[in-house]
Amino acid sequence: MPIPDFLRALRTTAGHQLLWLPGVSAIVLDDDGRVLLGRRSDTGQWSIIGGIPDPGEQPAAAVVREVYEETAVHCVPERVLLVEALEPFTYPNGDVCQYMDTCFLARAVGGEARVNDDESLEVGWFELDALPPMQRFALTRIKQAAAGGPTWFDGITGER
């Protein structure tokens, strides 16, 4: 997985210690109600699309950029689905990060889904009732999108 330049520079002094970082993710739906997923090159697992905003980049702009960079799909964010602090994650190189994820519901408006960088092994559209195995992180966000309820905040609106 490519590491943003600002994070690479920070790691030269921070080492592998825990870094608290912003993250964005997207549930991108097409006109047929299918969800866009990518099979990650770092874990081999299917997941929703996401990444790290650049310094000063607005979260909605970051999610549009990440979706296009990874899948060649153009999207328009429609609303915030949820905001959640994730558990710390240790990368294979020993770097530890914990993300504050802002997940958007987005609508695909153009492009053809394909692998567009080295972060994904495959990308594709999936029916909501025919999803591949995924981690709770992704399934929770897809469930929130399908439910159509208000923005979900952990610890405020109750159990998932």
Side-chain angles (χ1 to χ4, degrees):
M1 297 297 277
I3 184 170
D5 290 338
F6 82 91
L7 191 50
R8 183 177 288 110
L10 185 59
R11 283 288 183 199
T12 63
T13 57
H16 297 299
Q17 71 178 302
L18 173 70
L19 295 180
W20 176 249
L21 298 168
V24 294
S25 59
I27 302 302
V28 181
L29 300 176
D30 68 5
D31 290 338
D32 296 323
R34 299 175 302 170
V35 64
L36 180 64
L37 301 176
R39 193 162 68 85
R40 298 173 55 104
S41 61
D42 61 345
T43 65
Q45 295 181 327
W46 285 97
S47 190
I48 61 175
I49 310 303
I52 301 171
D54 292 329
E57 185 178 29
Q58 295 296 326
V63 86
V64 168
R65 176 183 53 76
E66 287 288 345
V67 168
Y68 182 76
E69 284 178 359
E70 295 180 26
T71 70
V73 170
H74 296 282
C75 71
V76 174
E78 295 185 328
R79 70 180 184 94
V80 173
L81 281 174
L82 64 81
V83 178
E84 180 181 33
L86 304 178
E87 294 295 320
F89 181 81
T90 303
Y91 287 92
N93 69 355
D95 289 350
V96 182
C97 294
Q98 187 171 12
Y99 295 98
M100 174 61 74
D101 182 56
T102 302
C103 183
F104 292 87
L105 175 63
R107 180 175 33 88
V109 294
E112 293 292 323
R114 63 177 168 83
V115 173
N116 205 35
D117 66 11
D118 61 355
E119 293 187 43
S120 299
L121 300 172
E122 299 177 72
V123 298
W125 295 102
F126 290 83
E127 299 290 339
L128 296 180
D129 62 355
L131 298 171
M134 288 184 286
Q135 292 187 350
R136 182 188 65 82
F137 164 86
L139 292 172
T140 296
R141 283 147 179 75
I142 293 169
K143 177 182 170 184
Q144 285 301 119
T151 302
W152 185 85
F153 301 98
D154 191 11
I156 301 297
T157 58
E159 297 298 316
R160 284 184 238 183

